[in-house]
Amino acid sequence: MTKQYAVLAYDYTDTEALDRRLANREAHLDGLRQLAKQGSFLSGGAILNEEGKMIGSNAHFQFADRQAFDAWLATEPYMIGRVWEHVDIREVRLFDPHG
């Protein structure tokens, strides 16, 4: 049985943080598209501040186990590119409204 994870990731707050996010954004989104095709990315998007600027990410993932999730996370462009500073990962059981 696969495991599901909720991720809340907050960006660095230095003056170059948004530039790093934008520089890594396409690689990040391409990776999520691939995960979605594999059934591992379930939902997610940007966390916005009061001015509507991206300051983080929230997402739901599904992997065989935590080791598979961690292996993916180690390759995530927002991790490698120093976009996400604080990442909170929790195992969850998502509600399926169709099941």
PDB file of all heavy atoms in Angstrom, residues 76-90:
ATOM      1  N   GLU A  76      14.703  17.166  -5.930  1.00  0.00           N
ATOM      2  CA  GLU A  76      13.758  18.252  -6.213  1.00  0.00           C
ATOM      3  C   GLU A  76      14.513  19.567  -6.437  1.00  0.00           C
ATOM      4  O   GLU A  76      15.305  19.979  -5.585  1.00  0.00           O
ATOM      5  CB  GLU A  76      12.764  18.371  -5.047  1.00  0.00           C
ATOM      6  CG  GLU A  76      11.980  19.636  -4.956  1.00  0.00           C
ATOM      7  CD  GLU A  76      11.198  20.010  -6.203  1.00  0.00           C
ATOM      8  OE1 GLU A  76      10.494  19.136  -6.746  1.00  0.00           O
ATOM      9  OE2 GLU A  76      11.304  21.167  -6.635  1.00  0.00           O
ATOM     10  N   PRO A  77      14.280  20.245  -7.584  1.00  0.00           N
ATOM     11  CA  PRO A  77      14.990  21.493  -7.882  1.00  0.00           C
ATOM     12  C   PRO A  77      14.853  22.571  -6.802  1.00  0.00           C
ATOM     13  O   PRO A  77      15.795  23.339  -6.590  1.00  0.00           O
ATOM     14  CB  PRO A  77      14.361  21.955  -9.197  1.00  0.00           C
ATOM     15  CG  PRO A  77      13.909  20.692  -9.852  1.00  0.00           C
ATOM     16  CD  PRO A  77      13.449  19.820  -8.719  1.00  0.00           C
ATOM     17  N   TYR A  78      13.734  22.630  -6.123  1.00  0.00           N
ATOM     18  CA  TYR A  78      13.570  23.644  -5.077  1.00  0.00           C
ATOM     19  C   TYR A  78      14.406  23.319  -3.842  1.00  0.00           C
ATOM     20  O   TYR A  78      14.738  24.204  -3.062  1.00  0.00           O
ATOM     21  CB  TYR A  78      12.104  23.816  -4.699  1.00  0.00           C
ATOM     22  CG  TYR A  78      11.325  24.706  -5.637  1.00  0.00           C
ATOM     23  CD1 TYR A  78      11.889  25.244  -6.788  1.00  0.00           C
ATOM     24  CD2 TYR A  78      10.000  25.028  -5.364  1.00  0.00           C
ATOM     25  CE1 TYR A  78      11.172  26.063  -7.639  1.00  0.00           C
ATOM     26  CE2 TYR A  78       9.272  25.853  -6.210  1.00  0.00           C
ATOM     27  CZ  TYR A  78       9.859  26.366  -7.347  1.00  0.00           C
ATOM     28  OH  TYR A  78       9.128  27.183  -8.182  1.00  0.00           O
ATOM     29  N   MET A  79      14.758  22.053  -3.646  1.00  0.00           N
ATOM     30  CA  MET A  79      15.674  21.691  -2.561  1.00  0.00           C
ATOM     31  C   MET A  79      17.116  21.956  -2.994  1.00  0.00           C
ATOM     32  O   MET A  79      17.867  22.599  -2.284  1.00  0.00           O
ATOM     33  CB  MET A  79      15.498  20.216  -2.185  1.00  0.00           C
ATOM     34  CG  MET A  79      14.168  19.892  -1.536  1.00  0.00           C
ATOM     35  SD  MET A  79      13.889  20.734   0.043  1.00  0.00           S
ATOM     36  CE  MET A  79      15.091  19.926   1.083  1.00  0.00           C
ATOM     37  N   ILE A  80      17.476  21.459  -4.163  1.00  0.00           N
ATOM     38  CA  ILE A  80      18.837  21.622  -4.667  1.00  0.00           C
ATOM     39  C   ILE A  80      19.164  23.095  -4.891  1.00  0.00           C
ATOM     40  O   ILE A  80      20.274  23.543  -4.608  1.00  0.00           O
ATOM     41  CB  ILE A  80      19.016  20.827  -5.979  1.00  0.00           C
ATOM     42  CG1 ILE A  80      18.858  19.328  -5.711  1.00  0.00           C
ATOM     43  CG2 ILE A  80      20.376  21.119  -6.605  1.00  0.00           C
ATOM     44  CD1 ILE A  80      18.736  18.501  -6.970  1.00  0.00           C
ATOM     45  N   GLY A  81      18.181  23.855  -5.377  1.00  0.00           N
ATOM     46  CA  GLY A  81      18.399  25.259  -5.719  1.00  0.00           C
ATOM     47  C   GLY A  81      18.214  26.232  -4.568  1.00  0.00           C
ATOM     48  O   GLY A  81      18.160  27.441  -4.783  1.00  0.00           O
ATOM     49  N   ARG A  82      18.107  25.712  -3.356  1.00  0.00           N
ATOM     50  CA  ARG A  82      17.969  26.542  -2.144  1.00  0.00           C
ATOM     51  C   ARG A  82      16.789  27.505  -2.241  1.00  0.00           C
ATOM     52  O   ARG A  82      16.890  28.682  -1.942  1.00  0.00           O
ATOM     53  CB  ARG A  82      19.267  27.289  -1.844  1.00  0.00           C
ATOM     54  CG  ARG A  82      20.417  26.353  -1.498  1.00  0.00           C
ATOM     55  CD  ARG A  82      21.627  27.079  -0.968  1.00  0.00           C
ATOM     56  NE  ARG A  82      21.269  27.711   0.296  1.00  0.00           N
ATOM     57  CZ  ARG A  82      21.382  29.035   0.533  1.00  0.00           C
ATOM     58  NH1 ARG A  82      21.839  29.851  -0.371  1.00  0.00           N
ATOM     59  NH2 ARG A  82      21.034  29.530   1.695  1.00  0.00           N
ATOM     60  N   VAL A  83      15.644  26.968  -2.650  1.00  0.00           N
ATOM     61  CA  VAL A  83      14.402  27.739  -2.668  1.00  0.00           C
ATOM     62  C   VAL A  83      13.658  27.513  -1.359  1.00  0.00           C
ATOM     63  O   VAL A  83      13.274  28.455  -0.681  1.00  0.00           O
ATOM     64  CB  VAL A  83      13.516  27.348  -3.878  1.00  0.00           C
ATOM     65  CG1 VAL A  83      12.165  28.067  -3.823  1.00  0.00           C
ATOM     66  CG2 VAL A  83      14.248  27.658  -5.179  1.00  0.00           C
ATOM     67  N   TRP A  84      13.483  26.233  -0.997  1.00  0.00           N
ATOM     68  CA  TRP A  84      12.784  25.901   0.241  1.00  0.00           C
ATOM     69  C   TRP A  84      13.753  25.885   1.409  1.00  0.00           C
ATOM     70  O   TRP A  84      14.744  25.172   1.403  1.00  0.00           O
ATOM     71  CB  TRP A  84      12.136  24.534   0.139  1.00  0.00           C
ATOM     72  CG  TRP A  84      10.966  24.455  -0.798  1.00  0.00           C
ATOM     73  CD1 TRP A  84      10.139  25.459  -1.197  1.00  0.00           C
ATOM     74  CD2 TRP A  84      10.480  23.275  -1.422  1.00  0.00           C
ATOM     75  NE1 TRP A  84       9.170  24.983  -2.031  1.00  0.00           N
ATOM     76  CE2 TRP A  84       9.355  23.632  -2.190  1.00  0.00           C
ATOM     77  CE3 TRP A  84      10.881  21.943  -1.415  1.00  0.00           C
ATOM     78  CZ2 TRP A  84       8.622  22.724  -2.931  1.00  0.00           C
ATOM     79  CZ3 TRP A  84      10.159  21.031  -2.156  1.00  0.00           C
ATOM     80  CH2 TRP A  84       9.037  21.411  -2.902  1.00  0.00           C
ATOM     81  N   GLU A  85      13.427  26.666   2.436  1.00  0.00           N
ATOM     82  CA  GLU A  85      14.260  26.694   3.644  1.00  0.00           C
ATOM     83  C   GLU A  85      13.712  25.770   4.723  1.00  0.00           C
ATOM     84  O   GLU A  85      14.433  25.001   5.332  1.00  0.00           O
ATOM     85  CB  GLU A  85      14.357  28.117   4.188  1.00  0.00           C
ATOM     86  CG  GLU A  85      15.245  28.216   5.409  1.00  0.00           C
ATOM     87  CD  GLU A  85      15.427  29.634   5.908  1.00  0.00           C
ATOM     88  OE1 GLU A  85      14.591  30.493   5.593  1.00  0.00           O
ATOM     89  OE2 GLU A  85      16.417  29.871   6.621  1.00  0.00           O
ATOM     90  N   HIS A  86      12.417  25.852   4.983  1.00  0.00           N
ATOM     91  CA  HIS A  86      11.765  25.024   6.011  1.00  0.00           C
ATOM     92  C   HIS A  86      10.754  24.120   5.324  1.00  0.00           C
ATOM     93  O   HIS A  86       9.845  24.615   4.654  1.00  0.00           O
ATOM     94  CB  HIS A  86      11.044  25.888   7.046  1.00  0.00           C
ATOM     95  CG  HIS A  86      11.943  26.851   7.744  1.00  0.00           C
ATOM     96  ND1 HIS A  86      12.889  26.453   8.663  1.00  0.00           N
ATOM     97  CD2 HIS A  86      12.070  28.191   7.639  1.00  0.00           C
ATOM     98  CE1 HIS A  86      13.539  27.514   9.101  1.00  0.00           C
ATOM     99  NE2 HIS A  86      13.071  28.580   8.491  1.00  0.00           N
ATOM    100  N   VAL A  87      10.922  22.811   5.497  1.00  0.00           N
ATOM    101  CA  VAL A  87      10.030  21.844   4.863  1.00  0.00           C
ATOM    102  C   VAL A  87       9.439  20.952   5.949  1.00  0.00           C
ATOM    103  O   VAL A  87      10.165  20.274   6.669  1.00  0.00           O
ATOM    104  CB  VAL A  87      10.780  20.989   3.821  1.00  0.00           C
ATOM    105  CG1 VAL A  87       9.823  20.004   3.159  1.00  0.00           C
ATOM    106  CG2 VAL A  87      11.446  21.873   2.778  1.00  0.00           C
ATOM    107  N   ASP A  88       8.113  20.982   6.057  1.00  0.00           N
ATOM    108  CA  ASP A  88       7.390  20.151   7.022  1.00  0.00           C
ATOM    109  C   ASP A  88       6.700  19.043   6.240  1.00  0.00           C
ATOM    110  O   ASP A  88       5.888  19.323   5.347  1.00  0.00           O
ATOM    111  CB  ASP A  88       6.373  20.998   7.790  1.00  0.00           C
ATOM    112  CG  ASP A  88       5.686  20.217   8.888  1.00  0.00           C
ATOM    113  OD1 ASP A  88       6.187  19.160   9.313  1.00  0.00           O
ATOM    114  OD2 ASP A  88       4.613  20.679   9.341  1.00  0.00           O
ATOM    115  N   ILE A  89       7.030  17.796   6.562  1.00  0.00           N
ATOM    116  CA  ILE A  89       6.483  16.640   5.862  1.00  0.00           C
ATOM    117  C   ILE A  89       5.723  15.795   6.870  1.00  0.00           C
ATOM    118  O   ILE A  89       6.257  15.438   7.918  1.00  0.00           O
ATOM    119  CB  ILE A  89       7.614  15.793   5.232  1.00  0.00           C
ATOM    120  CG1 ILE A  89       8.416  16.648   4.263  1.00  0.00           C
ATOM    121  CG2 ILE A  89       7.041  14.551   4.559  1.00  0.00           C
ATOM    122  CD1 ILE A  89       9.780  16.076   3.941  1.00  0.00           C
ATOM    123  N   ARG A  90       4.490  15.478   6.536  1.00  0.00           N
ATOM    124  CA  ARG A  90       3.652  14.648   7.417  1.00  0.00           C
ATOM    125  C   ARG A  90       3.011  13.545   6.597  1.00  0.00           C
ATOM    126  O   ARG A  90       2.504  13.789   5.503  1.00  0.00           O
ATOM    127  CB  ARG A  90       2.528  15.479   8.051  1.00  0.00           C
ATOM    128  CG  ARG A  90       2.995  16.651   8.857  1.00  0.00           C
ATOM    129  CD  ARG A  90       3.624  16.214  10.130  1.00  0.00           C
ATOM    130  NE  ARG A  90       4.167  17.383  10.801  1.00  0.00           N
ATOM    131  CZ  ARG A  90       4.785  17.341  11.943  1.00  0.00           C
ATOM    132  NH1 ARG A  90       4.958  16.190  12.554  1.00  0.00           N
ATOM    133  NH2 ARG A  90       5.265  18.422  12.488  1.00  0.00           N
TER     134      ARG A  90
END
